């Protein structure tokens, strides 16, 4: 079972439907027991970084997520679920993240760019994660975000995208996969990403 973490923010139903469409058992959960028991966990997120961290903390889910990741359980972060993995965000003032990876979340510059970055854009693969096995380089995925991550360890960057500058749009480090784009909104290619994660979790 893939556990999709419900902490009051995120496109949960679309993510769940995407997994189910690909024949993968995925369930929306909000308790630590289900996270501990799952074969893999998904952390989606939309909205403000500070609110997401606050909700996760108040729901007492933070420790379960960190514990699962450190134990090697397959993890997929989506949009804010990617950003929250890092040390801090500058959105609405400095806010601490989960600090699983060193780095910060910064806002796109306003000069000449429409912010948020919204719509379809391509992902250049720097290192191919197993969940991307059947996906060609430079594929187009759906984005909607005003902030992006700056990772201290460049070795975890699996994909980049250009929007006025080149930003990290995908990371991969052993059992951890995370995307700035929304697979659940990215039609056939996005469903392949969800299927790839489900298959990886089943074998883990």
């Amino acid at each position: 079972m893939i556990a999709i973490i419900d902490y009051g923010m995120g496109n949960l139903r679309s993510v769940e439907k995407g997994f189910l469409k690909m024949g993968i058992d995925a369930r929306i959960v909000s308790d630590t027991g289900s996270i501990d028991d799952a074969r893999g966990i998904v952390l989606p997120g939309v909205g403000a970084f500070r609110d997401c961290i606050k909700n996760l903390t108040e729901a007492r889910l933070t420790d379960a997520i960190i514990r699962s990741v450190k134990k090697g359980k397959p993890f997929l972060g989506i949009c804010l679920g990617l950003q929250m993995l890092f040390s801090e965000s500058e959105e609405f003032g400095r806010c601490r993240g989960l600090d699983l990876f060193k780095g910060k979340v910064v806002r796109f510059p306003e000069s000449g760019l429409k912010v948020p970055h919204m719509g379809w854009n391509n992902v250049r693969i720097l290192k191919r994660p197993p969940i991307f096995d059947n996906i060609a380089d430079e594929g187009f995925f759906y984005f909607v975000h005003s902030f992006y991550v700056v990772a201290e360890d460049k070795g975890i960057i699996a994909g980049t995208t250009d929007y006025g500058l080149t930003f990290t749009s995908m990371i991969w480090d052993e059992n951890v996969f995370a995307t700035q784009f929304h697979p659940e909104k990215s039609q056939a290619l996005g469903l392949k990403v969800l299927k790839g994660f489900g298959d990886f979790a089943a074998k883990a």
Side-chain angles (χ1 to χ4, degrees):
M1 186 269 289
I2 302 295
I4 303 168
I5 300 174
D6 180 7
Y7 57 103
M9 303 180 75
N11 198 23
L12 305 179
R13 294 297 176 192
S14 294
V15 176
E16 181 187 41
K17 288 178 181 177
F19 277 113
L20 295 177
K21 188 171 184 179
M22 302 308 288
I24 296 164
D25 180 15
R27 305 172 196 174
I28 296 170
V29 306
S30 57
D31 62 288
T32 58
S34 295
I35 294 172
D36 289 336
D37 293 341
R39 293 298 298 269
I41 56 177
V42 180
L43 181 64
V46 294
F49 186 102
R50 185 181 298 276
D51 292 339
C52 285
I53 289 292
K54 178 176 178 287
N55 285 13
L56 271 181
T57 302
E58 290 181 349
R60 299 183 179 179
L61 299 175
T62 303
D63 288 345
I65 293 169
I66 294 173
R67 180 171 62 247
S68 293
V69 168
K70 290 186 174 180
K71 282 184 177 180
K73 183 172 293 187
F75 173 95
L76 175 63
I78 298 174
C79 196
L80 268 171
L82 159 67
Q83 296 178 6
M84 287 188 291
L85 296 176
F86 287 83
S87 305
E88 63 181 55
S89 172
E90 67 176 25
E91 184 177 5
F92 301 122
R94 182 175 177 270
C95 178
R96 294 291 293 174
L98 298 176
D99 201 29
L100 286 164
F101 298 106
K102 298 300 180 184
K104 60 184 179 179
V105 181
V106 301
R107 185 176 174 83
F108 280 111
E110 296 285 353
S111 55
L113 288 178
K114 183 178 180 181
V115 180
H117 169 219
M118 182 181 297
W120 295 87
N121 206 337
N122 62 334
V123 173
R124 184 180 305 107
I125 300 173
L126 302 186
K127 65 173 187 175
R128 182 176 295 277
I131 67 172
F132 254 61
D133 274 353
N134 299 312
I135 297 173
D137 194 15
E138 301 284 354
F140 278 80
F141 296 87
Y142 189 82
F143 291 82
V144 53
H145 62 119
S146 300
F147 292 77
Y148 63 95
V149 300
V150 179
E152 289 186 13
D153 179 5
K154 305 307 179 187
I156 68 173
I157 301 173
T160 61
T161 297
D162 294 329
Y163 189 66
L165 48 78
T166 299
F167 69 90
T168 297
S169 52
M170 178 169 58
I171 68 166
W172 168 38
D173 183 56
E174 298 182 351
N175 57 306
V176 177
F177 311 90
T179 65
Q180 185 61 69
F181 58 85
H182 287 267
E184 77 281 5
K185 297 181 180 180
S186 297
Q187 300 181 1
L189 282 187
L191 291 177
K192 283 187 177 182
V193 173
L194 298 182
K195 177 67 161 57
F197 179 75
D199 291 345
F200 180 86
K203 297 173 185 175

